[in-house]
Amino acid sequence: SRNEIEPGKSGFAHFFEHMMFRGTETYPRERYNALLKELGADHNAFTTDDYTAYHILAPASGLETIMTLESDRFMNLKYPVEDFKKEAGAVLGEYNKNASNPFQTLSEKLRDAAFAVHTYKHSTIGFLQDVQDMPNQYDYSRQFFDRFYRPENCTLLVVGDVDAKKLAGLAQKYYGSWKHGSYKAGVPAEPPQQEEKRVAVAWPNPTQPYVYLGYHGPAFSDTEVDLPALDLVSQLLFSEAAPLYQKLVVDEQEVDVLFGGAPDHVDPYLFEIAARVKKPERVAYVESAITAALDDLKQTPIAADRLDSVKSHLKYSYAMGLDTAGSVARSLAHYLAVAGDSDAVNRLYAVYDRITPDDLRGVARKYFVTSGRTVVILSHKPTAESTGATAGGGAGAAAGTGS
Amino acid sequence: MSRRQAARVIAKAIPACMLAALLGVTPAAPAGAARPKENQPMKSTSKPVVGETLRTSLLPVPSSPLVAFRIQYRSGSINDPPGKEGLNALTAMIIGQGGTKELTYREVTDRLYPMAATIGAQADREVTTFIGSVHRDHLKPYYELLSGVLLRPRFDESDFKRSRDDLIAGIETNLRGNDDESLGKAALNLMMYDRHPYKQLDTGTVQGLRSITLDDVKAHYRRYYTRGNVVLAVSGGYPDALIESLKKDFASLPAGAPPLLKLPKPRSLQATEVLFVEKAAPATAISIGCPIGVTRSDRDFYALMVANSYLGEHRTFNGRLMNKLRGERGLNYGDYSYIESFIQDGGSNFPLPNTPRRQQFFSIWIRPVAHSNALFALRQAVRELKMLVDVGLSPQDFEASRKFVLNYSRLWTQNLSRRLGYQMDSEFYGTGFLIDRIQEELPRLKVEDVNAAVKRHLQAANLAVAIVTENAAGMRDALLSGRPTPITYQTPTTDEALLKEDKEIESFPLPVNRERMRIVKAQDLFEK
């Protein structure tokens, strides 16, 4: 969805992901579905800010069938206007099914405020008004296909009982005729944020308040230390073993949901922090406790054994997750998308190994700055915006501890 | 986002968007089991005796570097005492997210953290399962922590308060206000199991939870966490010594098991019973269902699997509901059907293992639809169900669905932890390993068998319907009037066949049970 640079056209990468299931002349929708059904395949797709992934899990004997089907729809997708309009209904339905969950709103509001020009400003599903207008955009959808569904934009990843040489032969056979495109359009770079932004969101149903913060951060890198160091920060502050987590969730019990981290992105994104505060009157305190912990990172070096513990956690966590063909594929696809190379994961873990306490202080000072921060407070009452914690580190803003 | 593994929480207490799947390792050769006699009812629990052998369920995979644990107690929400609904779930949560006699929760967490291992507590209607996986590099210390929290739980007052608050928030905030789809399913459950132990949420009620004390939790633990009431399940690359330790350590549990709660028959539904749940909602969420007399223990279950896959296989385009409501009409994001309790396992399409029941229900899940199309969607779904019952599957649809289930079911146990869970569930139901049983049963079937099973167990005349929506009174009046409820397309269609079918759908008769029709506010549900 970062590639959606034209106004009024947000959400098209995701919408197009839906359209990819609408068939071709050779394999209309019903026939496509029937062939995968025969294999007992588990198949679906998803779209992110940076890439769209189509995934199929099926018996290895089905590889050639899958290559036939997938190459055909990637090259020859064809759908009538009527189908296009129906699918717009399904996309709106997807928006609606997520809309009862405050996280959809929180994320939309944070990104919209935090980004002035970069296309991360809109969420992957798109601005609601663009989603509602989708039935009218048939011609644009054909242009979208023509621009982006080209071999230079595509990686085919196969994980499992597969022979590389055989796969190369099949790829040449089924994808060899796929023509390159010519579309090139840059994504506007986001200028540095100059001052803190704050947004209050009224939620129509009774809810505990949510605090959702975003600090501008770096793009994914497997060579520069910044994003990997922020991954460690995520663990140091927001894992269950983290002092901040233990303080806010376990000891003081001010918060019942707490997480934070910088998801990998192709362009500079945000370090996002979310907290659900148990009592509305404690929102300011929680926000200040979080900013105090971030400030502390800037000053106090992390002890070596804690750092080792985080590195161990990351390694085992990742390795233990590689337990099915699907989970391996998902992870490698992610690194292919953000780094162009699946070996990025090995380089990334090598960077993790090298990170020192000084590196952590360095990234904390660089990124956890008030001027680069956006804060969204969602609550049942629209006037429940956090007060008193707007300037500086906020360390002294809240009084006392305890519930 | 933090890359930490799934939290040590009850799966349903936390919104799905905040969970990551708990992952295991590659499957091994199946554990064999004798094939049960036809239509054999659930095996009863054997009488407990002092010094009885602890029950284990083992799945060794010597080549695997991981070990997966599932320690299950025959205790669920059906065992919550009246007035203390939520006691089982709360007890499980305090244990799974608590300390041991020697270590605080924080200390346990600190020790687990570098292993990237967790202890999850999954509390369901009939069983409660503690789930975790660890790399064999850390097997010994992990096992010490796991056995510690289970055998010597700390029952700290602060952990109690935190866990109770979490469960209450799970109802007050998450369920009532932030998750319309789960709300619809929970409301459906209330209707189907009125005056039945399955009625309440696994996490109880708000007042039930508020009335529970730490002493209640300790008493529940003493009563249900006993030697005769536990199954110790392990899979992966574990040494024999681990099993010896498990047996030795869990022998310290009190002997015996409390008697299994008998379940009454669920009440009979009368016509279409509708419960409107009113709240501010961007779209209308609908759940439809009725209890059925079939579980995995019964032969007809396998025939119904084929029919159910045809009607509404979860999150696939194989289902008729998905194709008719979403595919042809763009009504919503998805429409699926089920012949047993189904809770999605994280971001996968497959169900969580270890949610077995002695009684099951059929359901249809209609994902949020524009308010103006809600009654059309409801009519369409019930009409499809009626057609399935009256007409059945064609031979071609039968062959295609059967082949699909035969192949797709092989994907349900891809990692060690899931395979272990399925093995345990197979033992609960007495089926032999389910995936193998499917491979045995389905090839035997003919289309007539499937259609006969559908007629025996499914029907469209007496259903419970839960509707989560904004303008409940308007929708109720429209339904009661019996007037046609046409679809409003986002953009008009010219498809003649579709338009013709729309006319039938909008007038599809739904004889509504006026006496039982109710509107409740979401805020008032699950209070007590």
Side-chain angles (χ1 to χ4, degrees), chain B residues 286-302:
Chain B
I286 303 172
S287 283
I288 305 165
C290 60
I292 54 173
V294 180
T295 72
R296 294 182 191 181
S297 301
D298 302 303
R299 207 139 200 207
D300 275 353
F301 180 83
Y302 302 91

Side-chain angles (χ1 to χ4, degrees), chain B residues 218-240:
Chain B
K218 292 176 183 174
H220 186 86
Y221 174 80
R222 278 193 302 271
R223 186 165 157 77
Y224 287 97
Y225 286 60
T226 62
R227 212 152 64 216
N229 221 27
V230 69
V231 175
L232 307 169
V234 194
S235 60
Y238 57 84
D240 291 341

Side-chain angles (χ1 to χ4, degrees), chain B residues 37-89:
Chain B
K37 288 187 201 147
E38 294 192 11
N39 296 323
Q40 185 178 25
M42 246 288 298
K43 286 184 187 158
S44 58
T45 314
S46 50
K47 276 200 184 140
V49 294
V50 173
E52 76 240 306
T53 311
L54 283 162
R55 275 175 294 165
T56 58
S57 183
L58 305 177
L59 186 56
V61 183
S63 61
S64 172
L66 297 198
V67 180
F69 291 86
R70 286 180 179 258
I71 312 290
Q72 185 178 91
Y73 297 88
R74 193 63 191 264
S75 172
S77 61
I78 63 173
N79 303 111
D80 291 342
K84 293 189 188 287
E85 293 80 6
L87 179 57
N88 178 69

